[in-house]
């Protein structure tokens, strides 16, 4: 999802978003672009509402973004700022310097990164720069933009900077992980701004088209068309496309023709950190370990939750967010629990993500498991379904035929073996949506139940059946894919559940203060 911020007639403020406000915002501005397949607990509401383990009540990505960009509007001409909802940019520009978005065309932030990081981000090929001493903040012109290029392409198009090109300073961590000055590096992207004229040009183009039948990437399809060195070849490269539609190449070429000649200005932040939390592994690392982001933002191990502190476990690196846990519940290090209730005798293994769930009976959640419950509205009735799999499972990996699904893995086990354990037949009806794009994302394997607790218990049973290689038939259940869960999702009920937890935590704290 991209979050669009309009600085025209805007006010800078500290945003405290109430649950009713979230529902309103979600209805007006639904998630744009991806489905958060690499961090599915953010799929239902969108990554812009990802909860962070600090604040009372807890902060979300939306509030963090507004705080990080609070100085931008006063140094920005009318236009639109586009940012991803799963990254955080920390930087230093000096006491008297500000980032300005006041040039025509597009303006993007750039961060020094290793060449390996550059292969999964956008990379800027900058015009020559005569300044001998590198500063924290520099305004540069971009010759062309490369979207997730190979290391060979970075060298081919002169995007790689040599150690002699930088002053002796420490480039900080984040995803740029402690760049060593005797190594080559590139400048990678984060957010970008387009001026009012460019925005109007794109809007007029969209209104002329009427209906857009293919997915356009705000980074890959806009920025690659910019700068004097841009060429049309990228429009035919679909290697980074999640879903390739027949009209994609033609639409890309039309956008290239529309934006060709538009300038791409780059604000180089030499003393900056770029953090990405868009995958389950990144999420666990930054929230439930001693990461640099955790120390810099003051992230907490227990944030706005009821979780009895157990003597001798003060160094536990688990993370509990907006949840209520029984005193006899245990959460192993490296795990994150959010918006959940865990009853007595519930044991959560290491490196787990538990979201929106209610576990009332004794249960063991295996290490490295992902459990996320959604409320559903089906034929006017409230239902529940819980997705459960391994945190390292590749939900985006897809195959084209049923005979190829043996290459898919569920909780580290061959998917065909899992289907046999669950007594499910391999047919086209097993998958929702596109029948030539088969994946764990659109596999109909998750039971629909009438209560939240039953939903979690049933999905945990199917997960444990795979781990223990013990049969558990799913034939008697209505089954949905994650793709279908998001179609049936009942956002209002999920927010009501969160608000109930909020009220109980608030009441408990008031009673503690009075005691």
């Amino acid at each position: 999802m991209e979050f669009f911020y309009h600085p025209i007639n805007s006010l800078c403020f500290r945003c405290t978003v109430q649950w009713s406000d979230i529902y309103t915002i979600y209805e007006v501005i639904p998630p744009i672009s991806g489905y958060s397949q690499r961090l599915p607990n953010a799929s239902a509401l969108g990554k812009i509402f990802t909860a962070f383990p600090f604040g009372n009540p807890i902060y979300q990505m939306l509030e963090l973004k507004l705080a990080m960009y609070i100085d931008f509007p006063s140094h920005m001409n009318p236009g639109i700022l586009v940012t991803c909802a799963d990254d955080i940019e920390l930087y230093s520009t000096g006491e008297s310097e500000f980032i300005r978005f006041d040039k025509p065309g597009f303006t993007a932030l750039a961060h020094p990164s290793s060449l390996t990081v550059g292969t999964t981000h956008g990379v800027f090929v900058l015009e020559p720069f005569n300044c001998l001493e590198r500063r924290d903040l520099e305004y540069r012109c971009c010759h062309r933009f490369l979207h997730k290029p190979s290391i060979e392409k970075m060298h081919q198009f002169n995007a790689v900077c040599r150690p002699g090109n930088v002053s002796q300073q420490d480039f900080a961590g984040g995803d740029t992980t402690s760049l060593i000055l005797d190594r080559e590096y590139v400048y990678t992207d984060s957010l970008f701004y387009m001026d009012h004229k460019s925005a109007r040009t794109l809007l007029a183009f969209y209104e002329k088209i009427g209906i857009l039948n293919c997915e356009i990437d705000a980074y890959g399809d806009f920025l690659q068309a910019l700068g004097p060195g841009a060429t049309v070849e990228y429009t035919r490269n679909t290697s980074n496309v999640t879903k390739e539609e027949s009209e994609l190449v033609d639409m890309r070429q039309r956008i290239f023709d529309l934006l060709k000649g538009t300038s791409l200005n780059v604000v180089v932040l030499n003393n900056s950190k770029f953090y990405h939390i868009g995958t389950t592994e990144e999420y666990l690392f930054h929230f439930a370990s001693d990461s640099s982001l955790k120390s810099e933002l003051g992230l907490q191990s227990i944030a706005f939750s009821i979780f009895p502190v157990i003597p001798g476990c003060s160094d536990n690196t688990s993370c509990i967010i907006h949840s209520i846990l029984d005193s006899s519940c245990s959460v192993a290090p490296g795990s994150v629990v959010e918006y959940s209730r865990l009853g007595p005798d519930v044991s959560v293994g290491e490196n787990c993500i538990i979201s929106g769930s209610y576990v009332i009976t004794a249960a063991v959640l295996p290490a490295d498991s992902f459990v996320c419950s959604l409320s559903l509205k089906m034929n006017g009735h409230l239902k529940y379904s819980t997705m459960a799999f391994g945190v390292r499972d590749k939900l985006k990996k897809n195959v084209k035929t049923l005979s190829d699904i043996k290459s898919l893995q569920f909780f580290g086990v061959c998917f065909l073996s899992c289907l046999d354990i669950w007594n499910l037949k391999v047919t086209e009806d097993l998958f929702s949506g596109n029948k030539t794009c088969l994946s764990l994302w659109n596999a109909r394997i998750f039971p629909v139940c009438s209560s939240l607790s039953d939903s979690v218990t049933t999905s945990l049973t199917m997960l444990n059946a795979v781990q223990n290689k013990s049969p558990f038939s799913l034939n008697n259940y209505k089954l949905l894919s994650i793709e279908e869960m998001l179609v049936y999702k009942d956002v209002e009920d999920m927010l009501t559940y969160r608000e109930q937890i909020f009220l109980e935590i608030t009441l408990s704290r008031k009673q503690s203060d009075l005691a």
Side-chain angles (χ1 to χ4, degrees):
M1 163 178 172
E2 280 78 35
F3 168 61
F4 291 81
Y5 176 54
H6 299 255
I8 306 172
N9 298 324
S10 65
L11 296 175
C12 295
F13 58 97
R14 179 187 182 279
C15 175
T16 302
V17 182
Q18 303 297 323
W19 295 121
S20 57
D21 297 331
I22 291 177
Y23 185 59
T24 302
I25 293 172
Y26 184 84
E27 289 296 300
V28 175
I29 311 175
I32 301 168
S33 186
Y35 296 103
S36 190
Q37 291 172 290
R38 297 184 298 168
L39 188 65
N41 54 310
S43 292
L45 269 70
K47 286 181 281 191
I48 195 63
F49 298 119
T50 298
F52 276 77
F54 71 115
N56 185 14
I58 53 95
Y59 289 87
Q60 299 160 50
M61 177 64 84
L62 173 61
E63 295 170 303
L64 187 59
K65 287 282 182 181
L66 291 172
M68 289 190 298
Y69 305 155
I70 196 168
D71 291 326
F72 286 0
S74 58
H75 304 280
M76 181 186 293
N77 288 346
I80 295 177
L81 186 73
V82 181
T83 179
C84 290
D86 58 8
D87 62 37
I88 298 168
E89 306 90 12
L90 303 179
Y91 56 87
S92 172
T93 61
E95 293 183 3
S96 60
E97 292 186 296
F98 296 93
I99 296 176
R100 300 192 309 273
F101 299 94
D102 55 4
K103 292 181 172 61
F106 286 64
T107 301
L109 300 190
H111 312 269
S113 305
S114 69
L115 272 61
T116 301
V117 168
T119 61
T120 57
H121 290 73
V123 173
F124 299 101
V125 180
L126 301 178
E127 298 282 7
F129 192 54
N130 295 324
C131 182
L132 297 178
E133 182 181 355
R134 290 292 182 256
R135 301 184 300 274
D136 287 350
L137 175 65
E138 298 172 357
Y139 291 92
R140 305 279 296 272
C141 294
C142 184
H143 183 67
R144 69 182 299 168
F145 177 84
L146 309 175
H147 186 56
K148 299 182 180 180
S150 64
I151 292 177
E152 291 73 21
K153 280 195 173 182
M154 295 181 210
H155 282 287
Q156 177 186 347
F157 293 110
N158 297 317
V160 179
C161 301
R162 285 2 188 243
N165 294 346
V166 298
S167 61
Q168 294 301 305
Q169 59 177 312
D170 289 331
F171 288 134
D175 285 355
T176 59
T177 20
S178 303
L179 283 175
I180 301 172
L181 295 182
D182 61 356
R183 295 180 183 174
E184 298 175 323
Y185 65 97
V186 291
Y187 285 109
T188 56
D189 63 344
S190 57
L191 63 84
F192 71 87
Y193 154 91
M194 65 179 85
D195 68 353
H196 185 260
K197 179 181 177 182
S198 300
R200 292 297 306 178
T201 299
L202 285 168
L203 179 59
F205 175 73
Y206 174 71
E207 290 174 341
K208 181 179 179 181
I209 294 172
I211 298 177
L212 193 61
N213 294 316
C214 58
E215 183 177 318
I216 295 299
D217 186 282
Y219 287 79
D221 294 325
F222 291 171
L223 300 189
Q224 283 190 104
L226 309 177
T231 59
V232 75
E233 283 77 16
Y234 78 87
T235 60
R236 294 184 289 274
N237 179 9
T238 58
S239 59
N240 290 316
V241 176
T242 302
K243 183 180 179 183
E244 184 178 348
E245 292 95 347
S246 57
E247 298 180 19
L248 179 62
V249 173
D250 177 66
M251 187 59 60
R252 280 178 157 186
Q253 290 177 342
R254 293 174 65 180
I255 292 174
F256 173 81
D257 294 335
L258 181 75
L259 296 177
K260 184 178 180 181
T262 304
S263 61
L264 177 54
N265 309 289
V266 176
V267 181
V268 172
L269 298 170
N270 280 316
N271 188 17
S272 64
K273 302 182 182 183
F274 176 90
Y275 294 95
H276 188 262
I277 56 170
T279 70
T280 54
E281 291 174 315
E282 291 168 339
Y283 180 84
L284 288 171
F285 174 73
H286 289 305
F287 284 9
S289 71
D290 294 325
S291 71
S292 56
L293 177 66
K294 186 173 183 178
S295 61
E296 285 161 349
L297 290 184
L299 304 184
Q300 303 165 342
S301 294
I302 302 176
F304 194 71
S305 296
I306 299 176
F307 184 34
V309 177
I310 302 172
C313 294
S314 59
D315 58 347
N316 192 312
T317 53
S318 61
C319 181
I320 315 299
I321 309 170
H322 196 114
S323 295
I324 300 174
L325 279 64
D326 187 87
S327 58
S328 63
C329 170
S330 66
V331 180
S335 292
V336 177
V337 178
E338 66 165 9
Y339 300 121
S340 295
R341 293 175 181 266
L342 303 185
D345 302 317
V346 174
S347 176
V348 178
E350 294 182 346
N351 304 316
C352 294
I353 297 175
I354 314 299
S355 178
S357 298
Y358 183 23
V359 188
I360 192 172
T361 58
V364 175
L365 283 72
D368 303 311
S369 58
F370 180 100
V371 178
C372 176
S373 304
L374 299 187
S375 303
L376 312 174
K377 185 62 67 71
M378 303 181 69
N379 299 320
H381 298 286
L382 181 61
K383 300 290 184 179
Y384 301 89
S385 189
T386 297
M387 59 183 91
F389 45 85
V391 291
R392 296 185 183 88
D393 288 348
K394 308 297 182 185
L395 301 189
K396 295 180 73 171
K397 181 179 179 180
N398 63 80
V399 295
K400 295 184 181 301
T401 65
L402 290 174
S403 60
D404 292 329
I405 66 172
K406 59 181 177 293
S407 65
L408 301 178
Q409 287 201 329
F410 178 94
F411 211 65
V413 177
C414 172
F415 190 49
L416 275 179
S417 299
C418 297
L419 296 175
D420 186 53
I421 290 171
W422 300 325
N423 195 26
L424 295 179
K425 295 181 180 179
V426 180
T427 66
E428 284 194 352
D429 289 339
L430 181 67
F431 295 90
S432 62
N434 189 343
K435 303 303 182 181
T436 61
C437 187
L438 313 177
S439 67
L440 295 183
W441 182 260
N442 64 352
R444 292 185 171 121
I445 57 175
F446 299 111
V448 176
C449 298
S450 57
S451 73
L452 178 56
S453 59
D454 286 347
S455 167
V456 179
T457 300
T458 306
S459 291
L460 283 178
T461 302
M462 63 175 283
L463 191 66
N464 282 301
V466 170
Q467 188 186 42
N468 300 323
K469 296 181 173 57
S470 58
F472 176 66
S473 179
L474 292 176
N475 280 332
N476 295 327
Y477 294 93
K478 166 71 175 177
L479 302 177
L480 294 180
S481 65
I482 303 175
E483 180 181 59
E484 290 174 317
M485 286 187 207
L486 297 178
V487 173
Y488 291 116
K489 67 186 176 185
D490 188 333
V491 174
E492 189 169 13
D493 187 71
M494 285 185 280
L495 294 180
T496 298
Y497 177 63
R498 295 182 182 187
E499 188 169 16
Q500 289 170 349
I501 295 176
F502 169 85
L503 293 173
E504 190 169 333
I505 293 172
T506 302
L507 178 61
S508 176
R509 292 192 168 194
K510 287 181 179 179
Q511 291 174 342
S512 297
D513 291 340
L514 293 173

